[in-house]
Amino acid sequence: MHSFLRDMLLYRRFEEAAEEAYAIGKIGGFCHLHIGQEAVALGMIGPLRQEDYVLTAYRDHTQALAKGVEAGPVMAELFGRAGGSALGKGGSMHIFGADVGFMGGHGIVGSQIPLATGIGWAIRYRGGDEVCVCFLGDAAVNQGAFWESLNMAAVWKLPVIYVVENNEYGMGTAFRRVSALPVVERAGGTGVPAHAVDGQDVLASWRLMERLVADVRSGAGPQYVDARTYRFKGHSMSDPVSGTYRSKEEVEGRKREDDPITRLRDRLLDAELLTKKELEAMDGEAREVVNEAVRFAGESPPPSPEELYSHAYAEINEHGRLFLDGRDR
Amino acid sequence: MEITTTRAMANITYREALNQALAEEMDRDETVFLMGEEVAEYDGAYKVSKGLLDRFGDRRVVDTPISELGFAGLGVGAAMVGLRPVIEFMTFNFSLLALDQVINSAAKMYYMSGGQISVPIVFRGPTGAALQLSAQHSQACASWYVHAPGVKVVTPATPADAKGLLKAAIRDKDPVAVMEGELLYNVKGEVPDPEDGDFVIPLGLADLKREGEDVSIITHGPTVHIALMAAQKLEKEGIEAEVVDLRSIRPLDVDTILASVRKTNRAVMLEEGWPFAGVGSQVVSIIQDEAFDDLDAPVVRVTQADVPMPYAKNLEQLAKPSADRVVDACNRVLYRS
């Protein structure tokens, strides 16, 4: 359980450092922070093996870390540097770590759901026992991609676990305002079994996932999880923490009552399984890892200009032009 | 054609040629599977996959629900972890539902992952107009696909090209759209006998379907046959037209285009699609950029009329490119009218 706290502290410190770096212009573009949702990433990814797969949407830094992508390359990717996990070509929304089964952050709401379904298809095609976990936001359940994917996964009994990070808001629109039914009921009609869990409770999330992963590995078919959580920051860095769509009181209340890190910390302290000194040391370690990641990112050079055309295609054909402006590629 | 054998060729249909290509590649590579609406038990809406279910089983020839975005995206996901899916769209018209997965996922994955994840997938099916199918079933879709770097696009006009290009597409490491002509499935042509070895046409090689000195008709897909008809008519008037079949739109065989223009000094760009931001607009741009001094006349384009396809027979004929319109265009660039 100490490791749970250590990991979640790392995620929190990483995101805080990203927020700071964004504020001083080291990070550009969109940057969606995961602060407040750490227990979902850890609880849902922790029980996986390295050869299992994870895909997610654009709020992807923490899931990448949880699946085993190193903090340095993730931060360097946010900085747009050559040492980034995608060589600086993906940025915040597209962290990849194929070697550890992290199959990417994806920027179009719902677009990763069919991809995860396809990875599940490939696992079954090859007769393997890996599992694919697909994170999606609550807003993504209103995409056709969601319905189409769950239907096919159910028909073909694919080894995919669809985890809704239900933080109650799709950007600035409260889920309840735009959905006919609660998240947990949205898989209804596809035959995919639905489970709800307190996503701010890392132990509950981990236990549920342990069970589901074992079931899916032994052929139970797809599963659907409503992981109830809350984001403490805005939708992205351009969105204030509280604004037109949710009150300051609401956010402050949730931060006070429902912080997954505070909740685990207090549980451990109360049970005397953790001392304040140990806690401080743990937090210090997390900060050191993040500082090192920031240092690595800062020292990594920008991608060289030749990289503009590289990796657009995996195979450059012998004949013909692939790039109409790249005669001298 | 890149075939040097002198042995007998089989005279088969475009449909049969595609079927052979699928069967040979599925036989050769266990990671290749075919998925789409009606591909298995129904033998394919256009019977391209006839007999494949019996031969390869329902693990590798898979009927889907009518969920284009879903199964196209499923194919992309499967390709991300090393399978080689062939996704059939009953027609490319329906693939517009799936375009998010083609463009935002398949085309961009290799780049935005910094080269970690390639997507060796084929999207295939008929494109363009058949007969009186009206607006939603009669559009040439090459421009939608070719616009995005990361995708490759081929448009075979003959059975041999269909077979050779589909086989190359399946083996390619990138997403390739193989756009078949809806009216070409029954067209017959000579295809090298499978007994004579593996017949693959590399992507990015145009083909001179007819040689000529006086004017270049540059085209691809079903309109290759219209170009050949126009060339026959012109021949009667003493004009020798060269017909350049691009075959592959991305990669594009710019060298062959330029060589032909440099020979004839006059060009007509013919295609089934709409003119606005069409494949032809790109080809004309390349010609003016790289062969302007070789031109004796401005390049003229023949395309589908810039309207949705009408149903009425007479209007449909007016909307589609025809051999007569190509002859007129050739006369214009030859200053004969």
Side-chain angles (χ1 to χ4, degrees), chain B residues 82-241:
Chain B
L83 297 189
R84 289 184 177 262
V86 177
I87 299 297
E88 176 173 312
F89 291 122
M90 194 182 291
T91 106
F92 267 99
N93 293 281
F94 307 159
S95 83
L96 299 193
L97 283 151
L99 216 49
D100 173 58
Q101 288 297 333
V102 176
I103 305 298
N104 275 318
S105 295
K108 299 172 183 174
M109 196 74 67
Y110 192 65
Y111 197 80
M112 70 185 183
S113 70
Q116 288 181 60
I117 299 176
S118 65
V119 182
I121 191 169
V122 169
F123 301 105
R124 53 154 290 274
T127 181
L131 300 170
Q132 287 192 278
L133 300 184
S134 64
Q136 293 182 335
H137 286 69
S138 304
Q139 56 195 326
C141 293
S143 284
W144 301 113
Y145 278 72
V146 84
H147 191 53
V151 181
K152 297 171 182 173
V153 179
V154 297
T155 54
T158 66
D161 290 348
K163 180 171 181 182
L165 289 169
L166 178 53
K167 282 167 68 85
I170 292 172
R171 296 180 195 187
D172 202 272
K173 290 181 183 154
D174 291 302
V176 186
V178 179
M179 299 196 166
E180 302 154 11
E182 191 159 337
L183 281 176
L184 299 179
Y185 286 123
N186 286 326
V187 167
K188 281 192 155 189
E190 298 212 310
V191 176
D193 195 294
E195 301 295 310
D196 287 344
D198 206 19
F199 174 64
V200 180
I201 298 174
L203 306 186
L205 268 183
D207 185 40
L208 289 188
K209 287 289 191 283
R210 188 183 198 280
E211 294 200 39
E213 302 291 324
D214 301 324
V215 57
S216 303
I217 305 172
I218 301 161
T219 186
H220 68 95
T223 46
V224 167
H225 300 277
I226 290 172
L228 290 170
M229 274 190 276
Q232 273 180 11
K233 290 186 178 209
L234 287 164
E235 190 180 5
K236 288 181 188 139
E237 300 172 28
I239 305 294
E240 289 300 331

Side-chain angles (χ1 to χ4, degrees), chain A residues 105-128:
Chain A
H106 300 269
I108 307 292
V109 169
S111 71
Q112 77 279 19
I113 313 175
L115 301 177
T117 309
I119 290 175
W121 168 270
I123 293 167
R124 214 204 51 161
Y125 188 91
R126 293 195 164 112

Side-chain angles (χ1 to χ4, degrees), chain A residues 199-255:
Chain A
Q200 303 305 80
D201 181 341
V202 68
L203 294 178
S205 299
W206 186 291
R207 272 192 226 109
L208 170 69
M209 205 58 175
E210 248 178 356
R211 177 161 69 79
L212 294 184
V213 169
D215 288 352
V216 170
R217 240 189 254 297
S218 54
Q223 305 291 322
Y224 174 77
V225 178
D226 170 6
R228 292 165 183 173
T229 184
Y230 196 80
R231 67 171 147 76
F232 295 167
K233 297 287 175 179
H235 164 70
S236 71
M237 291 300 295
S238 62
D239 173 31
V241 173
S242 56
T244 54
Y245 64 92
R246 56 180 191 177
S247 67
K248 195 172 173 201
E249 292 69 40
E250 177 187 315
V251 179
E252 289 306 317
R254 294 294 282 266
K255 279 164 80 168

Side-chain angles (χ1 to χ4, degrees), chain A residues 53 55 77 84-87 89-91 94-99 102-119 121-127 143-149 151-153 155-156 158 307-324 327, chain B residues 29-33 35 58-60 62-83 100-101 104-105 107 109-119 148-152 171-175 202-205 249-255 258 282 286 289-290:
Chain A
Y53 298 97
L55 289 86
E77 191 58 34
S85 53
L87 313 179
K89 288 176 171 178
H94 309 299
I95 307 294
F96 283 85
D99 55 334
F102 189 69
M103 304 306 280
H106 300 269
I108 307 292
V109 169
S111 71
Q112 77 279 19
I113 313 175
L115 301 177
T117 309
I119 290 175
W121 168 270
I123 293 167
R124 214 204 51 161
Y125 188 91
R126 293 195 164 112
Q143 282 277 1
F146 171 78
W147 171 264
E148 295 183 24
S149 292
N151 178 56
M152 290 190 294
V155 168
W156 296 320
L158 304 182
E307 292 294 319
L308 179 61
Y309 282 91
S310 67
H311 303 121
Y313 289 94
E315 185 168 347
I316 302 296
N317 301 86
E318 189 187 346
H319 305 282
R321 267 188 219 166
L322 275 171
F323 308 100
L324 292 181
R327 278 188 234 173
Chain B
D29 181 352
E30 220 264 330
T31 66
V32 178
F33 68 95
M35 175 177 269
D58 62 5
R59 172 171 167 262
R60 299 185 63 199
V62 188
D63 280 329
T64 65
I66 301 177
S67 308
E68 283 84 2
L69 183 152
F71 67 74
L74 184 154
V76 177
M80 286 170 72
V81 292
L83 297 189
D100 173 58
Q101 288 297 333
N104 275 318
S105 295
M109 196 74 67
Y110 192 65
Y111 197 80
M112 70 185 183
S113 70
Q116 288 181 60
I117 299 176
S118 65
V119 182
V151 181
K152 297 171 182 173
R171 296 180 195 187
D172 202 272
K173 290 181 183 154
D174 291 302
L203 306 186
L205 268 183
I249 311 303
R250 211 196 254 261
L252 183 67
D253 187 349
V254 175
D255 291 345
L258 296 178
Q282 185 59 54
I286 290 169
D289 190 26
E290 300 184 43

